Amino acid sequence: MRLVTYSTNGSPLRLGILLGDDTILDPQLAYCEKLIAAGQGRAEELAQALLPSDPTAFLANGDFAVKAAGEAIEYAAGTPQTSALYNKADVTLGSPVPKPNKIICVGLNYRDHIQEMGREIPSVPLIFAKFGPAVIGPFDDVPRNAHLTQKLDYEAEFAFVIGKKGKDIPRADAFDYVAGYCAVNDITARDMQKRTLQWLQGKTLDASLPMGPCLVTKDEIEDPHNLNITLTVNGEIRQTSNTKQLVFDVPQLVEFLSHIVTLEPGDVVCTGTPGGVGEARGIFLQTGDVVRVELENVGVIENRIAE
């Protein structure tokens, strides 16, 4: 499945499922219709319990939610008159995980990026965090505050989202705890990042983590460690690589991180950026720039830099 969040006319974001390229199904609404058609009492309460409109709650429901979502898709396919279907062009897409419990980022995790920065390959993952207000939708504007930073940079990244609570997870079991994958852009204020030893202030500006366009569940990605990733600025290719360049892959990161902190449904792990960042090129983002990240088998996010 390809999970999204959507909003109509400024309404709160709700969980949706992308069907094909242009149609969004609201699984909770479709499942409720299905129960009503079957004469089920308390249909609305049951649909809300099994298929919450909040993506994190949906992930926490595990296999029960996945099964119910499949039934909602099947119902909608056989019910053309359902009110649970929307044209993607008529809604606003949000981040597939609008309010992550945790946002864990990995630095220096692509061999080509490590080389361009003149650093040594780390023996353990270098991790830092971003805060919740950094998250925005896949096509939202990214603000550039010239009073804060003159060196706003891009970082195309492959991210995975946790689907099940776990602690001290062995590497062999790691994928049991992964819900799926999405693309992110770890927008970074390099001058703020470097003015202290801690990176946080340059990494977690508000609206500095566009995410999406959807959360592709793990069953749809045969090998997450062989995905092409590309970033362009105003159509010019700045980053192009493949997730096979990762130093620490998904199972290694799940094992490592779960020994430090309990992983929970809705946690987002950003796995690092490949070579070609603006810092290495001496070129930074300016107002009006359009930054596009494309992750193979996942999709595209595209954001304009706005003053």
Side-chain angles (χ1 to χ4, degrees), residues 217-268:
T217 52
K218 62 187 176 186
D219 57 294
E220 293 203 12
I221 303 290
E222 183 178 354
D223 182 5
H225 304 115
N226 188 20
L227 302 175
N228 292 320
I229 185 168
T230 303
L231 180 143
T232 63
V233 178
N234 303 327
E236 176 193 357
I237 294 177
R238 298 283 182 86
Q239 293 182 285
T240 180
S241 190
N242 187 285
T243 54
K244 62 188 175 185
Q245 285 273 336
L246 288 169
V247 175
F248 302 103
D249 63 17
V250 172
Q252 289 173 297
L253 291 173
V254 168
E255 180 182 63
F256 178 82
L257 295 172
S258 70
H259 281 81
I260 297 171
V261 61
T262 299
L263 298 180
E264 302 168 289
D267 288 349
V268 176

Side-chain angles (χ1 to χ4, degrees), residues 86-104:
Y86 297 85
N87 190 316
K88 189 173 75 169
D90 296 332
V91 304
T92 300
L93 291 183
S95 163
V97 188
K99 296 181 179 180
N101 289 312
K102 293 185 281 295
I103 305 167
I104 305 171

Side-chain angles (χ1 to χ4, degrees), residues 26-48:
D26 188 308
Q28 184 187 108
L29 296 181
Y31 195 74
C32 184
E33 286 185 13
K34 174 182 182 294
L35 293 178
I36 291 172
Q40 174 67 56
R42 304 178 67 182
E44 186 175 345
E45 294 159 273
L46 286 169
Q48 289 174 352

Side-chain angles (χ1 to χ4, degrees), residues 14 113 150 153 176 185 191 194 290:
R14 291 179 58 88
H113 178 49
Q150 294 293 316
D153 204 353
D176 293 342
N185 188 350
D191 38 8
K194 292 188 172 185
V290 176

